[in-house]
Amino acid sequence: RYIRYEAKSASKDVLRSINFGYIQIKEGRSAAYLAGVIAKREPEQALIFCPRREEVSDVVNFLRNAGHQAEPYYGSLEQKERANILTR
C-alpha cells in the first residue's frame, strides 16, 4: 500500500475533540491520495506537511482548484502571518 493512516486522540480535556493522525504517501502520488482522503474523511480542518516548499505550493494550488480553502504555511513566514493563517 502507498498510504498509511494512524489516528491518535489527544488526552487533555481541552483537546479531546481533536483527532491527530498522519498519512505517509509516496512521492508523485500525493494529489490523487490527498483527494481520496479528503473525500473519505471530510475533515473540517487539516494541516498538511510537505518535505519541500515547492510541494507546499503544489498542494495549495491543488486544494484551491478542488474548491477547498488552503493557505501555504512555511517556517520562514513572519510569526504574525503564521498566527493569522492558523486562526482562519
Side-chain angles (χ1 to χ4, degrees):
R1 286 179 69 191
Y2 294 106
I3 189 168
R4 180 175 57 184
Y5 179 80
E6 293 183 21
K8 298 176 183 175
S9 294
S11 60
K12 295 185 179 187
D13 290 339
V14 175
L15 300 176
R16 283 207 173 138
S17 65
I18 300 173
N19 290 320
F20 296 90
Y22 73 92
I23 298 170
Q24 185 175 356
I25 303 170
K26 285 190 176 184
E27 190 173 345
R29 303 177 193 274
S30 55
Y33 280 106
L34 183 57
V37 169
I38 290 172
K40 183 176 180 180
R41 303 220 179 257
E42 298 179 338
E44 289 181 32
Q45 295 180 329
L47 288 174
I48 300 167
F49 293 91
C50 302
R52 292 182 295 279
R53 182 178 295 205
E54 299 81 26
E55 287 183 63
V56 172
S57 297
D58 292 343
V59 169
V60 166
N61 289 332
F62 169 79
L63 290 171
R64 287 177 176 170
N65 289 334
H68 300 286
Q69 184 179 359
E71 296 291 335
Y73 187 93
Y74 307 108
S76 63
L77 293 173
E78 295 291 326
Q79 180 60 35
K80 184 176 180 180
E81 192 171 356
R82 287 186 291 192
N84 286 338
I85 289 170
L86 293 176
T87 58
R88 291 182 194 160

mmCIF file of all heavy atoms in Angstrom, residues 17-57:
data_model
loop_
_atom_site.group_PDB
_atom_site.id
_atom_site.type_symbol
_atom_site.label_atom_id
_atom_site.label_comp_id
_atom_site.label_asym_id
_atom_site.label_seq_id
_atom_site.Cartn_x
_atom_site.Cartn_y
_atom_site.Cartn_z
ATOM 1 N N SER A 17 -11.696 16.750 21.585
ATOM 2 C CA SER A 17 -12.471 16.724 20.347
ATOM 3 C C SER A 17 -11.598 16.752 19.098
ATOM 4 O O SER A 17 -12.097 16.677 17.987
ATOM 5 C CB SER A 17 -13.442 17.905 20.309
ATOM 6 O OG SER A 17 -12.719 19.114 20.269
ATOM 7 N N ILE A 18 -10.290 16.824 19.271
ATOM 8 C CA ILE A 18 -9.373 16.890 18.141
ATOM 9 C C ILE A 18 -8.747 15.522 17.914
ATOM 10 O O ILE A 18 -8.243 14.896 18.833
ATOM 11 C CB ILE A 18 -8.262 17.938 18.393
ATOM 12 C CG1 ILE A 18 -8.879 19.314 18.594
ATOM 13 C CG2 ILE A 18 -7.264 17.938 17.236
ATOM 14 C CD1 ILE A 18 -7.885 20.368 19.011
ATOM 15 N N ASN A 19 -8.804 15.057 16.688
ATOM 16 C CA ASN A 19 -8.135 13.811 16.316
ATOM 17 C C ASN A 19 -6.852 14.133 15.587
ATOM 18 O O ASN A 19 -6.838 14.963 14.688
ATOM 19 C CB ASN A 19 -9.025 12.959 15.415
ATOM 20 C CG ASN A 19 -10.191 12.388 16.165
ATOM 21 O OD1 ASN A 19 -10.048 11.971 17.311
ATOM 22 N ND2 ASN A 19 -11.348 12.374 15.545
ATOM 23 N N PHE A 20 -5.787 13.485 15.986
ATOM 24 C CA PHE A 20 -4.497 13.655 15.334
ATOM 25 C C PHE A 20 -4.213 12.406 14.519
ATOM 26 O O PHE A 20 -4.586 11.313 14.903
ATOM 27 C CB PHE A 20 -3.377 13.825 16.370
ATOM 28 C CG PHE A 20 -3.511 15.070 17.194
ATOM 29 C CD1 PHE A 20 -4.220 15.044 18.375
ATOM 30 C CD2 PHE A 20 -2.935 16.250 16.795
ATOM 31 C CE1 PHE A 20 -4.349 16.183 19.146
ATOM 32 C CE2 PHE A 20 -3.055 17.393 17.550
ATOM 33 C CZ PHE A 20 -3.762 17.359 18.735
ATOM 34 N N GLY A 21 -3.563 12.578 13.428
ATOM 35 C CA GLY A 21 -3.184 11.435 12.622
ATOM 36 C C GLY A 21 -2.176 11.859 11.578
ATOM 37 O O GLY A 21 -1.888 13.041 11.430
ATOM 38 N N TYR A 22 -1.640 10.882 10.898
ATOM 39 C CA TYR A 22 -0.757 11.220 9.785
ATOM 40 C C TYR A 22 -0.940 10.202 8.681
ATOM 41 O O TYR A 22 -1.322 9.074 8.906
ATOM 42 C CB TYR A 22 0.705 11.327 10.216
ATOM 43 C CG TYR A 22 1.368 10.009 10.525
ATOM 44 C CD1 TYR A 22 2.059 9.295 9.549
ATOM 45 C CD2 TYR A 22 1.310 9.473 11.800
ATOM 46 C CE1 TYR A 22 2.670 8.096 9.836
ATOM 47 C CE2 TYR A 22 1.912 8.267 12.099
ATOM 48 C CZ TYR A 22 2.592 7.584 11.111
ATOM 49 O OH TYR A 22 3.189 6.402 11.400
ATOM 50 N N ILE A 23 -0.656 10.674 7.512
ATOM 51 C CA ILE A 23 -0.735 9.843 6.316
ATOM 52 C C ILE A 23 0.594 10.013 5.602
ATOM 53 O O ILE A 23 1.020 11.133 5.331
ATOM 54 C CB ILE A 23 -1.898 10.274 5.408
ATOM 55 C CG1 ILE A 23 -3.213 10.092 6.156
ATOM 56 C CG2 ILE A 23 -1.886 9.488 4.109
ATOM 57 C CD1 ILE A 23 -4.390 10.703 5.453
ATOM 58 N N GLN A 24 1.234 8.931 5.311
ATOM 59 C CA GLN A 24 2.507 8.973 4.598
ATOM 60 C C GLN A 24 2.255 8.461 3.187
ATOM 61 O O GLN A 24 1.759 7.353 2.997
ATOM 62 C CB GLN A 24 3.526 8.096 5.318
ATOM 63 C CG GLN A 24 4.894 8.175 4.725
ATOM 64 C CD GLN A 24 5.887 7.376 5.556
ATOM 65 O OE1 GLN A 24 5.557 6.833 6.601
ATOM 66 N NE2 GLN A 24 7.096 7.316 5.087
ATOM 67 N N ILE A 25 2.584 9.278 2.197
ATOM 68 C CA ILE A 25 2.294 8.960 0.799
ATOM 69 C C ILE A 25 3.584 8.994 0.004
ATOM 70 O O ILE A 25 4.402 9.899 0.170
ATOM 71 C CB ILE A 25 1.290 9.981 0.207
ATOM 72 C CG1 ILE A 25 0.011 9.994 1.038
ATOM 73 C CG2 ILE A 25 0.987 9.657 -1.246
ATOM 74 C CD1 ILE A 25 -0.915 11.126 0.682
ATOM 75 N N LYS A 26 3.758 8.029 -0.884
ATOM 76 C CA LYS A 26 4.950 8.017 -1.730
ATOM 77 C C LYS A 26 4.937 9.214 -2.667
ATOM 78 O O LYS A 26 3.892 9.641 -3.144
ATOM 79 C CB LYS A 26 5.019 6.730 -2.546
ATOM 80 C CG LYS A 26 5.429 5.532 -1.728
ATOM 81 C CD LYS A 26 5.722 4.361 -2.612
ATOM 82 C CE LYS A 26 6.232 3.202 -1.792
ATOM 83 N NZ LYS A 26 6.622 2.077 -2.624
ATOM 84 N N GLU A 27 6.109 9.724 -2.951
ATOM 85 C CA GLU A 27 6.262 10.881 -3.823
ATOM 86 C C GLU A 27 5.648 10.609 -5.194
ATOM 87 O O GLU A 27 5.748 9.515 -5.728
ATOM 88 C CB GLU A 27 7.744 11.204 -3.978
ATOM 89 C CG GLU A 27 8.003 12.518 -4.659
ATOM 90 C CD GLU A 27 9.468 12.906 -4.644
ATOM 91 O OE1 GLU A 27 10.241 12.307 -3.877
ATOM 92 O OE2 GLU A 27 9.821 13.798 -5.410
ATOM 93 N N GLY A 28 4.998 11.629 -5.737
ATOM 94 C CA GLY A 28 4.398 11.520 -7.060
ATOM 95 C C GLY A 28 2.951 11.025 -7.037
ATOM 96 O O GLY A 28 2.284 11.018 -8.053
ATOM 97 N N ARG A 29 2.462 10.631 -5.888
ATOM 98 C CA ARG A 29 1.096 10.124 -5.786
ATOM 99 C C ARG A 29 0.243 10.977 -4.854
ATOM 100 O O ARG A 29 -0.900 10.643 -4.589
ATOM 101 C CB ARG A 29 1.113 8.690 -5.258
ATOM 102 C CG ARG A 29 1.927 7.738 -6.089
ATOM 103 C CD ARG A 29 1.956 6.369 -5.453
ATOM 104 N NE ARG A 29 2.955 5.503 -6.044
ATOM 105 C CZ ARG A 29 2.758 4.764 -7.109
ATOM 106 N NH1 ARG A 29 1.604 4.786 -7.715
ATOM 107 N NH2 ARG A 29 3.722 4.002 -7.575
ATOM 108 N N SER A 30 0.803 12.061 -4.370
ATOM 109 C CA SER A 30 0.148 12.824 -3.320
ATOM 110 C C SER A 30 -1.194 13.427 -3.717
ATOM 111 O O SER A 30 -2.133 13.392 -2.926
ATOM 112 C CB SER A 30 1.077 13.906 -2.787
ATOM 113 O OG SER A 30 1.541 14.732 -3.826
ATOM 114 N N ALA A 31 -1.321 13.991 -4.891
ATOM 115 C CA ALA A 31 -2.575 14.648 -5.269
ATOM 116 C C ALA A 31 -3.739 13.662 -5.305
ATOM 117 O O ALA A 31 -4.804 13.926 -4.746
ATOM 118 C CB ALA A 31 -2.430 15.342 -6.622
ATOM 119 N N ALA A 32 -3.547 12.520 -5.913
ATOM 120 C CA ALA A 32 -4.623 11.528 -6.008
ATOM 121 C C ALA A 32 -5.015 10.997 -4.631
ATOM 122 O O ALA A 32 -6.197 10.878 -4.312
ATOM 123 C CB ALA A 32 -4.195 10.380 -6.914
ATOM 124 N N TYR A 33 -4.025 10.682 -3.808
ATOM 125 C CA TYR A 33 -4.328 10.166 -2.474
ATOM 126 C C TYR A 33 -4.928 11.244 -1.581
ATOM 127 O O TYR A 33 -5.838 10.973 -0.804
ATOM 128 C CB TYR A 33 -3.087 9.571 -1.818
ATOM 129 C CG TYR A 33 -2.814 8.189 -2.329
ATOM 130 C CD1 TYR A 33 -1.775 7.947 -3.206
ATOM 131 C CD2 TYR A 33 -3.615 7.118 -1.960
ATOM 132 C CE1 TYR A 33 -1.530 6.679 -3.692
ATOM 133 C CE2 TYR A 33 -3.382 5.852 -2.442
ATOM 134 C CZ TYR A 33 -2.331 5.633 -3.307
ATOM 135 O OH TYR A 33 -2.097 4.379 -3.790
ATOM 136 N N LEU A 34 -4.417 12.454 -1.682
ATOM 137 C CA LEU A 34 -4.951 13.548 -0.886
ATOM 138 C C LEU A 34 -6.419 13.780 -1.221
ATOM 139 O O LEU A 34 -7.254 13.934 -0.326
ATOM 140 C CB LEU A 34 -4.140 14.822 -1.121
ATOM 141 C CG LEU A 34 -4.533 16.040 -0.314
ATOM 142 C CD1 LEU A 34 -4.481 15.751 1.176
ATOM 143 C CD2 LEU A 34 -3.614 17.200 -0.664
ATOM 144 N N ALA A 35 -6.757 13.763 -2.489
ATOM 145 C CA ALA A 35 -8.157 13.930 -2.899
ATOM 146 C C ALA A 35 -9.023 12.825 -2.306
ATOM 147 O O ALA A 35 -10.130 13.071 -1.820
ATOM 148 C CB ALA A 35 -8.261 13.930 -4.421
ATOM 149 N N GLY A 36 -8.534 11.596 -2.339
ATOM 150 C CA GLY A 36 -9.285 10.479 -1.789
ATOM 151 C C GLY A 36 -9.467 10.573 -0.287
ATOM 152 O O GLY A 36 -10.547 10.300 0.242
ATOM 153 N N VAL A 37 -8.428 10.968 0.418
ATOM 154 C CA VAL A 37 -8.504 11.098 1.873
ATOM 155 C C VAL A 37 -9.487 12.198 2.264
ATOM 156 O O VAL A 37 -10.309 12.029 3.166
ATOM 157 C CB VAL A 37 -7.108 11.381 2.468
ATOM 158 C CG1 VAL A 37 -7.195 11.789 3.926
ATOM 159 C CG2 VAL A 37 -6.223 10.159 2.309
ATOM 160 N N ILE A 38 -9.419 13.326 1.592
ATOM 161 C CA ILE A 38 -10.342 14.426 1.894
ATOM 162 C C ILE A 38 -11.779 14.007 1.623
ATOM 163 O O ILE A 38 -12.673 14.279 2.421
ATOM 164 C CB ILE A 38 -9.959 15.690 1.098
ATOM 165 C CG1 ILE A 38 -8.651 16.255 1.652
ATOM 166 C CG2 ILE A 38 -11.060 16.740 1.165
ATOM 167 C CD1 ILE A 38 -8.071 17.383 0.836
ATOM 168 N N ALA A 39 -12.012 13.331 0.512
ATOM 169 C CA ALA A 39 -13.371 12.892 0.185
ATOM 170 C C ALA A 39 -13.891 11.880 1.204
ATOM 171 O O ALA A 39 -15.054 11.925 1.600
ATOM 172 C CB ALA A 39 -13.392 12.286 -1.215
ATOM 173 N N LYS A 40 -13.031 10.983 1.648
ATOM 174 C CA LYS A 40 -13.457 9.928 2.573
ATOM 175 C C LYS A 40 -13.612 10.442 4.001
ATOM 176 O O LYS A 40 -14.591 10.147 4.668
ATOM 177 C CB LYS A 40 -12.447 8.785 2.555
ATOM 178 C CG LYS A 40 -12.840 7.628 3.426
ATOM 179 C CD LYS A 40 -11.861 6.485 3.300
ATOM 180 C CE LYS A 40 -12.298 5.328 4.192
ATOM 181 N NZ LYS A 40 -11.377 4.199 4.093
ATOM 182 N N ARG A 41 -12.669 11.204 4.473
ATOM 183 C CA ARG A 41 -12.656 11.626 5.883
ATOM 184 C C ARG A 41 -13.401 12.934 6.134
ATOM 185 O O ARG A 41 -13.766 13.219 7.259
ATOM 186 C CB ARG A 41 -11.236 11.734 6.377
ATOM 187 C CG ARG A 41 -10.496 10.423 6.214
ATOM 188 C CD ARG A 41 -9.622 10.146 7.375
ATOM 189 N NE ARG A 41 -8.945 8.886 7.212
ATOM 190 C CZ ARG A 41 -9.295 7.765 7.831
ATOM 191 N NH1 ARG A 41 -10.304 7.766 8.644
ATOM 192 N NH2 ARG A 41 -8.619 6.664 7.633
ATOM 193 N N GLU A 42 -13.562 13.756 5.110
ATOM 194 C CA GLU A 42 -14.260 15.033 5.202
ATOM 195 C C GLU A 42 -13.835 15.866 6.414
ATOM 196 O O GLU A 42 -14.655 16.240 7.249
ATOM 197 C CB GLU A 42 -15.775 14.811 5.218
ATOM 198 C CG GLU A 42 -16.298 14.157 3.959
ATOM 199 C CD GLU A 42 -17.793 13.925 3.992
ATOM 200 O OE1 GLU A 42 -18.392 13.879 5.091
ATOM 201 O OE2 GLU A 42 -18.373 13.797 2.910
ATOM 202 N N PRO A 43 -12.551 16.178 6.535
ATOM 203 C CA PRO A 43 -12.106 16.959 7.700
ATOM 204 C C PRO A 43 -12.597 18.400 7.633
ATOM 205 O O PRO A 43 -12.739 18.967 6.548
ATOM 206 C CB PRO A 43 -10.585 16.910 7.586
ATOM 207 C CG PRO A 43 -10.338 16.771 6.122
ATOM 208 C CD PRO A 43 -11.468 15.917 5.604
ATOM 209 N N GLU A 44 -12.878 18.969 8.796
ATOM 210 C CA GLU A 44 -13.234 20.385 8.855
ATOM 211 C C GLU A 44 -11.992 21.245 8.653
ATOM 212 O O GLU A 44 -12.047 22.298 8.032
ATOM 213 C CB GLU A 44 -13.874 20.716 10.200
ATOM 214 C CG GLU A 44 -15.257 20.129 10.354
ATOM 215 C CD GLU A 44 -15.866 20.513 11.689
ATOM 216 O OE1 GLU A 44 -15.579 21.617 12.193
ATOM 217 O OE2 GLU A 44 -16.630 19.696 12.210
ATOM 218 N N GLN A 45 -10.878 20.785 9.212
ATOM 219 C CA GLN A 45 -9.600 21.471 9.080
ATOM 220 C C GLN A 45 -8.494 20.429 9.035
ATOM 221 O O GLN A 45 -8.652 19.330 9.568
ATOM 222 C CB GLN A 45 -9.338 22.392 10.265
ATOM 223 C CG GLN A 45 -10.294 23.534 10.380
ATOM 224 C CD GLN A 45 -9.967 24.400 11.590
ATOM 225 O OE1 GLN A 45 -9.473 23.917 12.595
ATOM 226 N NE2 GLN A 45 -10.237 25.689 11.468
ATOM 227 N N ALA A 46 -7.394 20.795 8.432
ATOM 228 C CA ALA A 46 -6.253 19.875 8.381
ATOM 229 C C ALA A 46 -4.966 20.661 8.180
ATOM 230 O O ALA A 46 -4.967 21.721 7.565
ATOM 231 C CB ALA A 46 -6.424 18.881 7.236
ATOM 232 N N LEU A 47 -3.895 20.123 8.718
ATOM 233 C CA LEU A 47 -2.556 20.615 8.421
ATOM 234 C C LEU A 47 -1.895 19.553 7.568
ATOM 235 O O LEU A 47 -1.897 18.376 7.924
ATOM 236 C CB LEU A 47 -1.734 20.807 9.695
ATOM 237 C CG LEU A 47 -2.121 21.962 10.584
ATOM 238 C CD1 LEU A 47 -1.301 21.921 11.870
ATOM 239 C CD2 LEU A 47 -1.901 23.283 9.884
ATOM 240 N N ILE A 48 -1.345 19.955 6.454
ATOM 241 C CA ILE A 48 -0.702 19.024 5.535
ATOM 242 C C ILE A 48 0.769 19.415 5.454
ATOM 243 O O ILE A 48 1.101 20.536 5.084
ATOM 244 C CB ILE A 48 -1.374 19.075 4.148
ATOM 245 C CG1 ILE A 48 -2.840 18.689 4.295
ATOM 246 C CG2 ILE A 48 -0.645 18.169 3.170
ATOM 247 C CD1 ILE A 48 -3.684 19.001 3.083
ATOM 248 N N PHE A 49 1.624 18.495 5.827
ATOM 249 C CA PHE A 49 3.058 18.762 5.825
ATOM 250 C C PHE A 49 3.682 18.176 4.565
ATOM 251 O O PHE A 49 3.369 17.063 4.174
ATOM 252 C CB PHE A 49 3.719 18.143 7.061
ATOM 253 C CG PHE A 49 3.282 18.799 8.336
ATOM 254 C CD1 PHE A 49 2.197 18.310 9.033
ATOM 255 C CD2 PHE A 49 3.957 19.909 8.816
ATOM 256 C CE1 PHE A 49 1.789 18.906 10.208
ATOM 257 C CE2 PHE A 49 3.550 20.520 9.990
ATOM 258 C CZ PHE A 49 2.460 20.010 10.687
ATOM 259 N N CYS A 50 4.570 18.948 3.967
ATOM 260 C CA CYS A 50 5.288 18.527 2.763
ATOM 261 C C CYS A 50 6.783 18.678 3.026
ATOM 262 O O CYS A 50 7.198 19.602 3.717
ATOM 263 C CB CYS A 50 4.896 19.394 1.578
ATOM 264 S SG CYS A 50 3.143 19.380 1.197
ATOM 265 N N PRO A 51 7.587 17.813 2.430
ATOM 266 C CA PRO A 51 9.027 17.892 2.691
ATOM 267 C C PRO A 51 9.719 19.089 2.037
ATOM 268 O O PRO A 51 10.776 19.510 2.486
ATOM 269 C CB PRO A 51 9.576 16.576 2.137
ATOM 270 C CG PRO A 51 8.566 16.101 1.177
ATOM 271 C CD PRO A 51 7.248 16.647 1.633
ATOM 272 N N ARG A 52 9.130 19.639 0.990
ATOM 273 C CA ARG A 52 9.769 20.767 0.289
ATOM 274 C C ARG A 52 8.756 21.880 0.043
ATOM 275 O O ARG A 52 7.572 21.634 -0.178
ATOM 276 C CB ARG A 52 10.349 20.297 -1.039
ATOM 277 C CG ARG A 52 11.535 19.350 -0.876
ATOM 278 C CD ARG A 52 12.111 18.937 -2.213
ATOM 279 N NE ARG A 52 11.188 18.158 -3.018
ATOM 280 C CZ ARG A 52 10.970 16.848 -2.874
ATOM 281 N NH1 ARG A 52 11.589 16.183 -1.935
ATOM 282 N NH2 ARG A 52 10.140 16.218 -3.660
ATOM 283 N N ARG A 53 9.246 23.107 0.042
ATOM 284 C CA ARG A 53 8.385 24.269 -0.165
ATOM 285 C C ARG A 53 7.659 24.207 -1.507
ATOM 286 O O ARG A 53 6.509 24.598 -1.619
ATOM 287 C CB ARG A 53 9.217 25.542 -0.092
ATOM 288 C CG ARG A 53 8.364 26.793 -0.242
ATOM 289 C CD ARG A 53 9.177 28.024 -0.132
ATOM 290 N NE ARG A 53 9.705 28.087 1.209
ATOM 291 C CZ ARG A 53 10.058 29.220 1.805
ATOM 292 N NH1 ARG A 53 9.966 30.350 1.166
ATOM 293 N NH2 ARG A 53 10.526 29.210 3.023
ATOM 294 N N GLU A 54 8.330 23.690 -2.544
ATOM 295 C CA GLU A 54 7.691 23.584 -3.859
ATOM 296 C C GLU A 54 6.444 22.700 -3.785
ATOM 297 O O GLU A 54 5.449 22.965 -4.442
ATOM 298 C CB GLU A 54 8.664 23.013 -4.899
ATOM 299 C CG GLU A 54 9.898 23.848 -5.133
ATOM 300 C CD GLU A 54 10.983 23.634 -4.069
ATOM 301 O OE1 GLU A 54 11.033 22.545 -3.456
ATOM 302 O OE2 GLU A 54 11.753 24.580 -3.840
ATOM 303 N N GLU A 55 6.520 21.651 -2.999
ATOM 304 C CA GLU A 55 5.364 20.767 -2.840
ATOM 305 C C GLU A 55 4.227 21.465 -2.106
ATOM 306 O O GLU A 55 3.064 21.210 -2.383
ATOM 307 C CB GLU A 55 5.752 19.492 -2.102
ATOM 308 C CG GLU A 55 6.582 18.558 -2.953
ATOM 309 C CD GLU A 55 6.885 17.273 -2.218
ATOM 310 O OE1 GLU A 55 5.926 16.541 -1.900
ATOM 311 O OE2 GLU A 55 8.072 17.016 -1.968
ATOM 312 N N VAL A 56 4.570 22.342 -1.174
ATOM 313 C CA VAL A 56 3.536 23.095 -0.461
ATOM 314 C C VAL A 56 2.720 23.901 -1.465
ATOM 315 O O VAL A 56 1.488 23.884 -1.444
ATOM 316 C CB VAL A 56 4.147 24.015 0.619
ATOM 317 C CG1 VAL A 56 3.083 24.926 1.222
ATOM 318 C CG2 VAL A 56 4.820 23.189 1.700
ATOM 319 N N SER A 57 3.392 24.592 -2.359
ATOM 320 C CA SER A 57 2.700 25.387 -3.375
ATOM 321 C C SER A 57 1.836 24.505 -4.269
ATOM 322 O O SER A 57 0.694 24.859 -4.591
ATOM 323 C CB SER A 57 3.702 26.157 -4.229
ATOM 324 O OG SER A 57 4.409 27.074 -3.437
#
